[in-house]
């Protein structure tokens, strides 16, 4: 992550929350048209499509009517769905009180709340009813919070996230809002894991309404995907659903991070933000003090106990959790453990633009008022398909003005999931690799050319450091090493640490780089040459083959290392990897222990050299 080394046949997952929403699971039961539906209608549309519409909250009567009205439009599911949306938003479609009640109950609202909202606002104004229901949920959330008593055991290893015992109460207060929303959503009938994922994707400042909208949009997006799936893919989806329903054991969701990680990930302080610390809340143990200095990075949102274990293997140093949205226009929640000083840090110049529209001003012209994003989510190792962006364009072009609320929610869900930006009227596109380089703080064309495929560019960038964030942490090295620095770079990736040092104008006398990917090594070598580095670049391929004897020999040859930097693969830690998210014991993330082994060998040799 500094970058995570990877091989051509392994696709490292880049983050905790990206793609996690794909694992929203719905278990539809077979639903058929009622006996009153005309046989001709039943024969012209599949039961699976009807079931998908029912899952979205539409009654079978409403579906039958929509099918009947669109019978002349080749029975396209998109046309039927558009008609259903129009029904939902119109007075005519809301004339039956029972239909409205069923619709909102299907969305997850309690029946007593639905009836109360309709008594207060009538059954015609769907928007007012929705707002009332969300307000009721907020009230329930507040009542729930009064009865909640979150007990945190100070001796629990999982709470090494806490900045200090004095800050424990403030930390708990910061996290309680997200927890109250979580509890309210569970009370509304949503699955705990779905709610936790939605809260994370929407951000810490999201309101209850935004989180509910996101969950509903996730449901809707899933139905869109199923409706438009190719026949073979649709059959596979149905088979997967059956396997989930009958054979899978439900996985206990992990929500510990909601109360263990700080709500506002600013670490020990970020530029232009209150709360800057002059001293660490918990001092570094004497045995861990530098030089040599070390810097370790990985995803913040990990399975339970992972950061506690990481900390215990790195001298019990308290992690510094930072979201790179404070340095650029994209989020990137990471944890860092290091023994660097924290006073008088400084930001590399010029600082990045902090909003999407500032970073990409050409998007302003096309950005609709109903897309309120100012920040992108964490950058991925892959991008949205052209079929998805085409599907969105086709949906939006059916409306002269703003699309219906349901369509807006679906579009926003896809935008947040894939970091789509507006490039024309009704046109969304994923970020290209050049734009990702800019957001991550790399020089233009850093990963371009030289035989590097577009796929490799996305994969390498998605697994990299955010340079501005790392440079802020490393900035204290500049006055400490005015004559240059010797660096041991583990899991180098595309050289995020090296780019940060270069942008800080810290001379790199020696860089010993260990990176398994041929493409990434080529990128680093090209950067080294193009920036006219005068120091030595020595490259190794596999951290597991970098034994203690080799380390001691390198230190004798170059006079030791001043900094050991790296981040082991997050493949078994990130939220996007639902099948192999097994923690540090995973096949790839267990390489963390090689980082620890190599670091200890460096520090042991350094002590011997000082004698």
């Amino acid at each position: 992550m500094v970058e995570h080394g990877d091989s051509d046949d392994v696709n490292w997952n880049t983050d905790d929350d990206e793609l996690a929403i794909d694992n929203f699971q719905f278990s539809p039961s077979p639903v058929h048209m009622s006996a009153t539906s005309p046989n001709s209608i039943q024969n012209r549309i599949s039961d699976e499509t009807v079931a998908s519409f029912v899952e979205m909250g539409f009654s079978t009567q409403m579906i039958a009517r929509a099918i009947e009205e669109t019978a002349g439009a080749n029975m396209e599911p998109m046309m039927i769905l558009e008609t259903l949306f129009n029904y939902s938003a119109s007075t005519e479609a809301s004339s039956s009180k029972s239909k409205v009640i069923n619709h909102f109950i299907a969305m997850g609202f309690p029946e007593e709340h639905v009836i109360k909202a309709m008594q207060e606002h009538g059954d015609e104004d769907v928007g007012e009813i929705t707002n009332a229901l969300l307000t009721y949920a907020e009230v329930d959330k507040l009542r729930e919070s009064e009865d909640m008593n979150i007990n945190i055991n100070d001796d629990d290893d999982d709470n090494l996230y806490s900045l200090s015992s004095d800050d424990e109460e403030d930390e708990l207060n910061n996290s309680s809002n997200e927890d109250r929303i979580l509890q309210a959503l569970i009370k509304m009938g949503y699955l705990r894991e779905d709610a936790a994922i939605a809260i994370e994707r929407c951000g810490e400042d999201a309101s209850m309404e935004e989180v509910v909208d996101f969950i509903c949009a996730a449901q809707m997006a899933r139905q869109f995907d199923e409706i438009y799936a190719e026949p073979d893919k649709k059959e596979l989806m149905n088979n997967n659903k059956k396997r989930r329903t009958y054979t899978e054991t439900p996985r206990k969701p992990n929500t510990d991070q909601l109360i263990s990680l700080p709500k506002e990930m600013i670490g020990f302080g970020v530029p232009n933000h209150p709360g800057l610390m002059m001293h660490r809340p918990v001092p570094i143990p004497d045995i861990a003090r530098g030089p040599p200095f070390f810097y370790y990075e990985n995803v913040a949102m990990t399975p339970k106990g992972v950061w506690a274990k990481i900390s215990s293997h790195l001298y019990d140093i308290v992690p510094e959790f930072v979201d790179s949205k404070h340095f650029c226009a994209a989020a990137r929640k990471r944890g860092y453990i290091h023994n660097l000083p924290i006073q008088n840090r400084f930001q590399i110049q010029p600082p990045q633009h902090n909003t999407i529209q500032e970073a990409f001003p050409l998007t302003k012209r096309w950005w609709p008022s109903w897309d309120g994003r100012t920040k992108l989510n964490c950058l991925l190792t892959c991008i949205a398909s052209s079929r998805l962006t085409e599907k969105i364009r086709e949906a939006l072009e059916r409306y002269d003005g703003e699309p219906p609320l349901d369509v807006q929610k679906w579009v926003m869900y896809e935008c947040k999931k894939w970091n789509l930006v507006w490039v024309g009227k009704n046109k969304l596109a994923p970020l290209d690799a050049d734009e990702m380089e800019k957001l991550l703080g790399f020089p233009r064309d850093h990963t371009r050319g030289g035989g590097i495929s577009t796929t490799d560019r996305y994969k390498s960038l998605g697994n990299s450091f955010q340079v501005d964030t790392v440079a802020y942490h490393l900035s204290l090295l500049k006055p400490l090493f005015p004559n240059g620095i010797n660096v041991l770079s583990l899991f180098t990736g595309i050289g995020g640490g090296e780019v940060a040092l270069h942008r800080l104008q810290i001379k790199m006398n020696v860089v010993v780089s260990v990176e398994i990917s041929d493409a990434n090594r080529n990128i680093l070598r090209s950067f080294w040459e193009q920036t006219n580095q005068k120091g030595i670049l020595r490259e190794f391929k596999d951290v597991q083959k970098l034994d203690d004897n080799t380390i001691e020999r390198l230190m004798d040859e170059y006079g030791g290392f001043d900094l050991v930097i790296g981040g082991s693969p997050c493949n078994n830690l990130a939220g996007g990897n639902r099948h192999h998210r097994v923690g540090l014991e995973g096949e790839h993330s267990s390489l963390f222990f090689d980082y620890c082994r190599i670091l200890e060998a460096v520090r042991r040799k350094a002590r011997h050299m000082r004698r």
Side-chain angles (χ1 to χ4, degrees):
M1 275 210 86
V2 132
E3 301 182 80
H4 304 151
D6 57 6
S7 61
D8 293 339
D9 57 350
V10 176
N11 183 13
W12 304 119
N13 288 287
T14 184
D15 200 8
D16 50 313
D17 50 7
E18 56 203 40
L19 305 182
I21 200 74
D22 281 340
N23 290 275
F24 275 39
Q25 294 186 2
F26 308 101
S27 301
S29 57
V31 179
H32 299 273
M33 300 297 289
S34 66
T36 59
S37 302
N39 291 332
S40 60
I41 293 177
Q42 293 187 32
N43 293 334
R44 284 181 286 170
I45 185 168
S46 68
D47 287 343
E48 290 83 358
T49 301
V50 174
S52 297
F53 291 146
V54 171
E55 281 186 359
M56 295 170 69
F58 299 109
S59 67
T60 54
Q61 294 89 345
M62 187 184 295
I63 295 169
R65 179 183 169 192
I67 293 172
E68 188 72 22
E69 288 196 7
T70 56
N74 298 321
M75 301 301 292
E76 291 184 5
M78 187 63 184
M79 293 292 294
I80 299 170
L81 191 57
E82 179 186 351
T83 303
L84 289 170
F85 287 153
N86 291 336
Y87 289 167
S88 298
S90 69
T91 302
E92 180 182 356
S94 303
S95 60
S96 170
K97 183 175 295 187
S98 62
K99 290 181 182 179
V100 177
I101 293 174
N102 290 336
H103 182 73
F104 282 110
I105 290 175
M107 292 176 66
F109 294 106
E111 182 177 1
E112 60 271 20
H113 285 184
V114 177
I115 294 174
K116 179 181 177 182
M118 292 179 64
Q119 289 174 344
E120 293 180 354
H121 301 281
D123 58 3
E124 297 183 355
D125 195 332
V126 176
E128 286 297 326
I129 296 172
T130 303
N131 290 334
L133 289 169
L134 293 170
T135 301
Y136 300 158
E138 291 279 4
V139 173
D140 280 349
K141 174 193 69 174
L142 294 174
R143 288 174 179 168
E144 186 80 20
S145 68
E146 293 175 357
D147 299 329
M148 285 173 57
N149 182 19
I150 303 174
N151 295 315
I152 298 180
N153 184 349
D154 292 336
D155 296 327
D156 189 344
D157 285 343
D158 294 333
N159 288 295
L160 284 173
Y161 311 118
S162 179
L163 297 182
S164 70
S165 58
D166 293 336
D167 292 333
E168 182 177 347
E169 182 176 351
D170 290 339
E171 191 69 24
L172 193 57
N173 289 336
N174 285 341
S175 299
S176 62
N177 182 55
E178 290 185 4
D179 197 71
R180 286 197 298 269
I181 293 178
L182 176 68
Q183 295 301 323
L185 290 170
I186 293 171
K187 191 170 183 179
M188 290 167 64
Y190 295 109
L191 295 177
R192 175 182 290 271
E193 186 172 13
D194 294 355
I197 291 170
I199 291 170
E200 169 59 25
R201 292 294 287 172
C202 290
E204 64 270 9
D205 298 325
S207 67
M208 170 68 75
E209 181 178 2
E210 291 173 318
V211 177
V212 170
D213 281 352
F214 189 87
I215 295 177
C216 293
Q219 297 173 357
M220 190 179 304
R222 194 173 194 88
Q223 309 314 318
F224 267 81
D225 289 343
E226 291 178 2
I227 289 170
Y228 285 97
E230 298 296 330
D232 292 343
K233 293 182 181 179
K234 185 175 293 187
E235 182 178 355
L236 179 61
M237 288 184 197
N238 292 333
N239 290 337
N240 287 338
K241 288 180 186 175
K242 292 176 182 178
R243 285 196 292 271
R244 285 199 297 265
T245 304
Y246 299 110
T247 65
E248 286 191 0
T249 301
R251 182 178 66 256
K252 181 180 180 181
N254 172 31
T255 57
D256 293 75
Q257 65 267 32
L258 295 177
I259 61 172
S260 298
L261 291 174
K263 174 185 175 183
E264 186 72 8
M265 290 193 182
I266 61 170
F268 303 143
V270 295
N272 306 315
H273 195 286
L276 186 67
M277 298 183 185
M278 299 304 294
H279 303 282
R280 288 175 180 262
V282 178
I284 297 174
D286 289 340
I287 192 175
R289 294 187 179 279
F293 295 102
F294 67 89
Y295 187 84
Y296 176 81
E297 177 260 15
N298 218 311
V299 295
M301 309 295 280
T302 62
K304 181 179 179 180
V306 166
W307 272 106
K309 182 176 288 188
I310 291 174
S311 177
S312 69
H313 282 79
L314 292 176
Y315 311 102
D316 291 318
I317 294 177
V318 175
E320 180 174 15
F321 294 105
V322 180
D323 189 340
S324 291
K325 71 177 185 180
H326 299 293
F327 292 87
C328 67
R332 203 170 190 78
K333 297 180 179 180
R334 295 292 186 265
Y336 305 89
I337 292 183
H338 57 83
N339 63 346
L340 296 164
I342 67 170
Q343 291 184 9
N344 302 318
R345 291 168 162 174
F346 60 89
Q347 193 173 8
I348 52 177
Q349 299 297 321
Q352 286 230 33
H353 295 297
N354 263 333
T355 68
I356 304 170
Q357 291 76 19
E358 290 173 345
F360 309 115
L362 294 180
T363 64
K364 290 181 181 179
R365 177 182 177 186
W366 309 111
W367 209 274
S369 60
W370 45 270
D371 184 347
R373 292 176 299 154
T374 60
K375 299 277 188 180
L376 295 166
N377 283 327
C378 185
L379 304 180
L380 311 179
T381 56
C382 54
I383 61 172
S385 68
S386 59
R387 178 69 187 99
L388 173 63
T389 54
E390 178 187 12
K391 187 164 62 175
I392 293 174
R393 178 184 59 78
E394 291 172 350
L396 294 177
E397 285 181 347
R398 298 182 186 277
Y399 309 97
D400 293 332
E402 288 191 0
L405 183 60
D406 302 84
V407 176
Q408 291 181 26
K409 290 178 181 179
W410 167 61
V411 173
M412 288 309 305
Y413 162 70
E414 299 293 356
C415 285
K416 291 178 180 180
K417 175 181 176 181
W418 294 107
N419 280 327
L420 302 177
V421 294
W422 298 93
V423 296
K425 184 178 181 181
N426 298 326
K427 286 177 60 179
L428 283 160
L431 297 171
D432 62 34
D434 293 338
E435 291 167 331
M436 286 183 65
E437 284 178 345
K438 178 179 180 178
L439 290 168
L440 291 169
F442 289 96
R444 184 174 178 83
D445 297 332
H446 182 72
T447 59
R448 185 181 181 188
I452 307 299
S453 69
T454 301
T455 299
D456 282 340
R457 289 186 74 188
Y458 280 116
K459 184 166 67 173
S460 297
L461 287 164
N463 284 323
S464 74
F465 276 161
Q466 203 290 319
V467 172
D468 300 75
T469 308
V470 174
Y472 184 68
H473 295 161
L474 299 182
S475 61
L476 270 297
L477 295 174
K478 187 169 185 177
L480 296 179
F481 298 97
N483 298 319
I485 191 170
N486 289 1
V487 181
L488 175 57
S489 177
L490 305 177
F491 314 100
T492 302
I494 57 175
E498 289 72 21
V499 173
L501 291 170
H502 174 67
R503 293 190 62 189
L504 287 167
Q505 298 181 352
I506 297 175
K507 180 183 177 183
M508 289 174 279
N509 296 328
V510 175
V511 170
V512 174
S513 168
V514 188
E515 169 56 44
I516 198 168
S517 165
D518 292 336
N520 288 346
R521 290 199 305 276
N522 290 338
I523 291 170
L524 176 65
R525 199 178 304 116
S526 176
F527 162 79
W528 196 264
E529 294 170 355
Q530 291 180 9
T531 53
N532 298 315
Q533 300 294 327
K534 304 301 182 184
I536 298 170
L537 175 62
R538 184 88 171 266
E539 294 182 295
F540 292 83
K541 187 170 184 178
D542 192 345
V543 293
Q544 294 179 301
K545 296 180 180 178
L546 192 67
D547 57 28
D548 290 3
N549 289 334
T550 303
I551 294 169
E552 291 183 4
R553 177 169 49 81
L554 290 169
M555 294 181 69
D556 285 336
E557 182 177 354
Y558 299 125
F561 293 113
D562 305 306
L563 173 67
V564 179
I565 185 171
S568 53
C570 66
N571 193 51
N572 305 119
L573 307 180
N577 191 344
R578 294 299 179 186
H579 299 292
H580 304 287
R581 197 185 188 205
V582 294
L584 292 174
E585 289 70 32
E587 177 184 358
H588 307 297
S589 293
S590 61
L591 293 173
F592 161 73
F593 298 107
D594 284 288
Y595 178 96
C596 298
R597 172 185 61 81
I598 293 170
L599 174 62
E600 182 55 35
V602 169
R603 294 181 64 81
R604 183 173 59 248
K605 175 65 174 178
R607 289 193 296 269
H608 177 75
M609 294 174 69
R610 286 196 294 264
R611 291 175 184 170

